[in-house]
Amino acid sequence: MASPSYGASLHPGAWWLWSLSLGTAATRTTNPLLLTLLITVSAYVVATRRPDTPWSRSYGAFVKLALAVLLIRLLFATILGSPIPGTHTLLTLPEADLPDWAQGIRLGGEVTAEALAFALYDGLKLATLLICVGAANALANPSRLLKSLPGALYEMGVAVVVALTFAPSLIADVQRLRAARRLRGRPDKGVRGLLHVGLPVLEGALERSVSLAAAMDARGYGRTAQVPAAVRRTTAALTLGGLLGVCAGTYGLLTAEGATYGIPVLLIGLAAALAGLRLGGRRSPRTRYRPDRWDVRAWLVVASGVAVAALLTLAAARDPAALHPGVVPLVAPTLPLWPAAAILLGLLPAFVAPDPKEPS
């Protein structure tokens, strides 16, 4: 199999921004038809633009995780009840008598269609968000993404790369030692088997860590340039303040109450964080071999995701009833046309992003 060249593939940051934008759009609605359409769009883009690499197979794991989250949400609504009142009783479970200190908690009782519909809509929104994150993991090369990090995050990126490299080695060591114990007729499960397998694995990981640290030190990793103290303090203040602003702005965007202040706080936080990262890059004067280019196709991919998020946010403000179908009284959800058409803009990467299966 010929591996795709860097010049023929999309910048990994573009895939993450596109996926997170679809996830932001998913937080703006509880309409199951629109959420299903978002999942379909992300699945189609993954199916057409996913490279044949180990990390690209993580999309299936995220889909299974999303399905598990949805089932757990429905199970909790069935067993623990729901604050949503309802008149369409589907079944009645035996209700347990709880002590006085557990007032407000219900175990068993009536299960209504309204409560299950509310749980389904709520769980499907979280499941869609997980699947969008899974799409980014399947499409973006993690090592190339870390390679694109600014110089201020260089040490953190190296630590993440080392951790990602060692995790498969630890799993392979565990499988090898368990197979060896089985061939010798010794137990490889339970507490005794865990102790006999865990200790050699930890010992081998420690030896590899020491060897890797010595090799990295010999090659000059971890060495930084001298910068004035005022620059260091300004960098720390801008970076920490900017990241706090990004967290507060993102929280505002993900909640209905923070829709007014979310975008300004997020933009101010992003500006401060980028300024801090650019200033902090003076401590790591390094060059990159074959850096990823942010070309027109990357802009188009990001623009398609941002357009979906912006149009769904606008639709939620102008027609909240269409994007949040009611459960009391219970009505069948309908597909609003122009929000659905807006979601289809997310298919643009399937046509403009380079095909990783084509030889460069």
Side-chain angles (χ1 to χ4, degrees):
M1 180 191 67
S3 60
S5 69
Y6 287 3
S9 56
L10 198 71
H11 195 287
W15 285 125
W16 270 100
L17 290 176
W18 172 80
S19 301
L20 292 178
S21 297
L22 292 189
T24 302
T27 63
R28 301 290 96 184
T29 179
T30 55
N31 189 318
L33 300 178
L34 292 178
L35 293 173
T36 305
L37 190 58
L38 275 171
I39 294 174
T40 305
V41 167
S42 72
Y44 182 78
V45 174
V46 169
T48 54
R49 289 298 178 264
R50 178 172 57 178
D52 187 14
T53 53
W55 70 79
S56 63
R57 304 186 186 101
S58 62
Y59 186 73
F62 275 90
V63 172
K64 293 177 182 175
L65 178 63
L67 184 60
V69 167
L70 182 60
L71 293 177
I72 290 173
R73 183 69 180 88
L74 290 174
L75 183 64
F76 278 13
T78 303
I79 297 177
L80 301 178
S82 172
I84 302 299
T87 56
H88 299 80
T89 304
L90 298 178
L91 72 158
T92 303
L93 298 175
E95 187 167 0
D97 294 330
L98 299 177
D100 295 336
W101 54 265
Q103 288 184 354
I105 301 176
R106 198 192 75 181
L107 194 59
E110 292 184 347
V111 180
T112 63
E114 290 85 350
L116 285 183
F118 178 79
L120 175 65
Y121 296 171
D122 197 43
L124 188 58
K125 182 168 69 172
L126 181 57
T128 306
L129 189 59
L130 287 172
I131 290 175
C132 291
V133 174
N137 278 275
L139 294 168
N141 186 330
S143 62
R144 285 176 50 207
L145 180 64
L146 292 173
K147 184 181 173 184
S148 303
L149 288 175
L153 300 177
Y154 177 76
E155 286 81 4
M156 186 185 72
V158 171
V160 173
V161 169
V162 171
L164 292 175
T165 306
F166 266 67
S169 301
L170 289 178
I171 295 173
D173 285 349
V174 170
Q175 293 174 345
R176 178 174 53 81
L177 289 170
R178 289 185 63 187
R181 289 186 64 82
R182 284 196 298 270
L183 289 174
R184 294 168 184 161
R186 297 175 182 174
D188 62 319
K189 297 180 180 178
V191 178
R192 188 177 177 184
L194 180 64
L195 291 176
H196 284 84
V197 171
L199 290 178
V201 169
L202 292 177
E203 184 180 356
L206 183 60
E207 290 178 354
R208 275 198 301 271
S209 300
V210 173
S211 302
L212 179 62
M216 293 176 68
D217 184 61
R219 288 169 173 79
Y221 281 87
R223 295 173 187 172
T224 58
Q226 293 294 328
V227 295
V231 175
R232 293 201 301 271
R233 287 193 290 270
T234 305
T235 301
L238 285 174
T239 305
L240 290 178
L243 291 179
L244 287 175
V246 170
C247 293
T250 305
Y251 176 78
L253 285 178
L254 295 179
T255 58
E257 294 79 7
T260 55
Y261 69 86
I263 292 179
V265 173
L266 178 62
L267 293 178
I268 295 173
L270 276 176
L274 291 176
L277 293 176
R278 184 172 182 81
L279 202 58
R282 296 182 181 180
R283 297 181 67 241
S284 301
R286 292 179 173 85
T287 58
R288 292 187 177 90
Y289 175 65
R290 298 173 65 186
D292 289 300
R293 292 179 299 174
W294 191 281
D295 54 10
V296 177
R297 294 174 299 185
W299 283 114
L300 290 175
V301 170
V302 174
S304 68
V306 172
V308 173
L311 291 175
L312 262 291
T313 302
L314 179 63
R318 298 187 62 178
D319 191 6
L323 270 70
H324 300 278
V327 295
V328 181
L330 189 62
V331 294
T334 58
L335 183 65
L337 292 181
W338 77 265
I343 292 176
L344 294 180
L345 292 175
L347 288 172
L348 186 63
F351 304 100
V352 301
D355 188 355
K357 301 180 181 65
E358 290 182 355
S360 58

